[in-house]
Amino acid sequence: MPFSFDGLASTSISCVEMHTSGEPTRIILSGFPELTGTLMEQRALAKANFDQYRRFLMLEPRGHRDMYGAILRPETELVKSGEADFGVLFMHNDGFSTMCGHATIAIGRFLVDCDDEQIFPRRKMLKYDTGTETTSIKLHVPCGVVDVDVPTLPIGKSDPCRPISFIAVPSFVTGISVMVHLPEENRWPELGVRDSITADFCYGGAYYCVINATELGFPQGLSEDYIQRLSHATALLKKTVNETSELSYLTRHIQTAEQGILYSVLIVDDTKLDNDPSSSEKGLCFFANQQIDRSPTGGSVAARISLAYAKGNLSIGEQRKFDSLFTGSDKGLRGFVGSAIEELKNEGEADGSRKSVCVRVKVQGYANYMGYSTFVAEAADGLGVNGFLL
């Protein structure tokens, strides 16, 4: 390194920079304070005592409103018991999320390539399948354990030419064609005279509202030209769902009854839907504090596959392609592929009247390296480590 920060910086954090279909993952290698306990206890500790490190890395001037990050956790209770190989915490512009598909794909590739035992002590214990030429990783994330398969070359490194896949936690529907009444203060101009919308709700490690662009009030479909208007509408919709007690069942886990919150609104461009099985479903995901996912959103793929299966529009083993507003052959970015691989019987009810099932969903996508970075904060820097959000 031609320049040293020794003696200048009070804080120094090193990261690997990756992207999955254009969506960044900033993976912290060193510099984050020590976290102990179970994975959820580590998450709570990070939120309560070290949130300034999230702001330091995710917000400006080192990040931006749509930056995404991962804190590597080599020791968790499930790693110790042998149920997982590695753990991870996810973070974004507003806090720490329970699941992230695009980051899972990136981290899977990184862990296969990592030969530093201080970062990944159990790297040599990973299982390699000679038939599929893939390495398997059980990744402990806040919502459970996801099984990641990473294509691997004979030299032991990941193969960037083949897609990485993960099997999500059990995914399910909590409501189909739910009518959401919008109080006057939560309506947006594109609604016109309407005071309600109809949408679907599902879970893929986090809770998603899936709504068509035309139903949201945008008959022309999705466009980068009016992203701010789309953001305004989805923010008000999410606010309504999270603040309406009668709708709390939409974010309640059908297996554990644990209460969650609506994490994201996924707009499907129904003006682009067709019956060609080779075509992709295009969508735009707003999550956290109106953060925009450049990728098709891995968690939402799991949720949308469960939705399509519950509606009878998808069979076990059948694949469906997903693009975001920013991916596609014309953009040079490949989207995701999802499929339901197994139905799990469940006694819960999705919407108070209809029996629901969980499915295990396989999500496939590509992740690429962008670089290596070391971020510092000088003691004399008035901005400190807090960052800011524009």
Side-chain angles (χ1 to χ4, degrees):
M1 181 183 294
F3 180 79
S4 174
F5 292 103
D6 292 345
L8 295 175
S10 60
T11 300
S12 176
I13 299 180
S14 295
C15 308
V16 164
E17 309 287 341
M18 299 184 72
H19 82 87
T20 309
S21 296
E23 179 70 1
T25 303
R26 180 163 285 169
I27 303 173
I28 301 173
L29 299 180
S30 64
F32 199 92
E34 181 61 27
L35 301 173
T36 58
T38 66
L39 186 64
M40 294 308 289
E41 289 171 346
Q42 293 179 40
R43 183 172 180 257
L45 184 62
K47 291 171 64 175
N49 294 352
F50 306 119
D51 193 54
Q52 68 269 30
Y53 288 86
R54 177 191 63 81
R55 299 193 301 269
F56 176 80
L57 291 168
M58 298 295 99
L59 307 186
E60 296 192 48
R62 301 169 189 88
H64 51 81
R65 173 174 287 276
D66 301 308
M67 178 54 70
Y68 203 91
I71 308 170
L72 300 177
R73 306 309 310 142
E75 293 291 341
T76 76
E77 72 278 18
L78 296 188
V79 173
K80 290 179 181 178
S81 68
E83 298 172 70
D85 299 306
F86 202 83
V88 64
L89 295 174
F90 303 120
M91 58 186 181
H92 47 63
N93 71 5
D94 197 41
F96 297 81
S97 53
T98 56
M99 175 57 191
C100 181
H102 91 269
T104 293
I105 290 171
I107 291 164
R109 185 177 178 199
F110 166 77
L111 290 176
V112 166
D113 293 336
C114 180
D115 53 11
D116 187 336
E117 292 188 359
Q118 288 188 321
I119 296 174
F120 191 2
R122 294 169 178 80
R123 169 64 180 86
K124 294 180 180 179
M125 298 172 63
L126 295 181
K127 296 179 180 178
Y128 174 75
D129 188 313
T130 55
T132 61
E133 298 182 321
T134 59
T135 301
S136 299
I137 303 170
K138 289 187 174 295
L139 190 64
H140 186 190
V141 303
C143 66
V145 176
V146 294
D147 298 319
V148 188
D149 284 330
V150 182
T152 308
L153 297 167
I155 59 173
K157 297 297 183 180
S158 64
D159 182 356
C161 297
R162 291 187 287 153
I164 299 155
S165 67
F166 70 87
I167 298 175
V169 296
S171 302
F172 52 84
V173 171
T174 57
I176 293 177
S177 298
V178 177
M179 180 176 290
V180 178
H181 175 76
L182 300 155
E184 187 172 356
E185 66 273 16
N186 286 356
R187 298 172 196 166
W188 50 93
E190 290 77 12
L191 278 177
V193 298
R194 291 188 295 148
D195 62 1
S196 64
I197 56 88
T198 300
D200 300 321
F201 294 83
C202 40
Y203 175 85
Y207 291 95
Y208 295 86
C209 168
V210 180
I211 186 169
N212 289 336
T214 55
E215 178 66 18
L216 197 65
F218 295 83
Q220 63 274 55
L222 296 176
S223 170
E224 294 182 46
D225 294 337
Y226 41 87
I227 279 183
Q228 291 303 317
R229 291 160 56 193
L230 293 164
S231 178
H232 179 63
T234 54
L236 291 173
L237 173 54
K238 186 164 74 169
K239 182 175 185 290
T240 300
V241 173
N242 282 330
E243 292 181 352
T244 304
S245 59
E246 293 83 356
L247 299 176
S248 62
Y249 72 94
L250 296 171
T251 53
R252 186 178 302 126
H253 203 287
I254 65 174
Q255 291 181 319
T256 66
E258 182 179 358
Q259 187 64 53
I261 62 168
L262 183 60
Y263 174 65
S264 170
V265 177
L266 190 287
I267 310 171
V268 175
D269 194 345
D270 50 328
T271 67
K272 299 291 193 298
L273 293 178
D274 55 48
N275 295 319
D276 180 0
S278 66
S279 66
S280 61
E281 181 180 297
K282 188 174 288 291
L284 179 62
C285 180
F286 291 90
F287 68 97
N289 183 8
Q290 292 309 104
Q291 190 160 335
I292 298 173
D293 199 331
R294 274 66 174 162
S295 81
T297 310
S300 86
V301 168
R304 283 187 280 172
I305 288 291
S306 75
L307 179 63
Y309 183 78
K311 288 183 173 182
N313 298 330
L314 192 76
S315 303
I316 294 294
E318 184 180 352
Q319 292 187 337
R320 181 163 292 182
K321 298 179 181 179
F322 297 89
D323 273 318
S324 74
L325 182 58
F326 314 102
T327 61
S329 57
D330 58 326
K331 304 291 181 68
L333 290 170
R334 290 170 287 194
F336 293 166
V337 175
S339 58
I341 62 171
E342 180 186 10
E343 177 184 317
L344 305 173
K345 298 297 182 183
N346 183 71
E347 297 301 322
E349 295 183 357
D351 55 9
S353 61
R354 187 183 59 80
K355 292 291 183 182
S356 180
V357 296
C358 295
V359 290
R360 297 303 299 268
V361 178
K362 182 178 182 179
V363 181
Q364 301 176 70
Y366 295 83
N368 294 99
Y369 292 100
M370 297 189 292
Y372 175 85
S373 55
T374 299
F375 294 96
V376 300
E378 290 188 281
D381 186 351
L383 186 61
V385 297
N386 283 301
F388 62 91
L389 196 62
L390 185 63

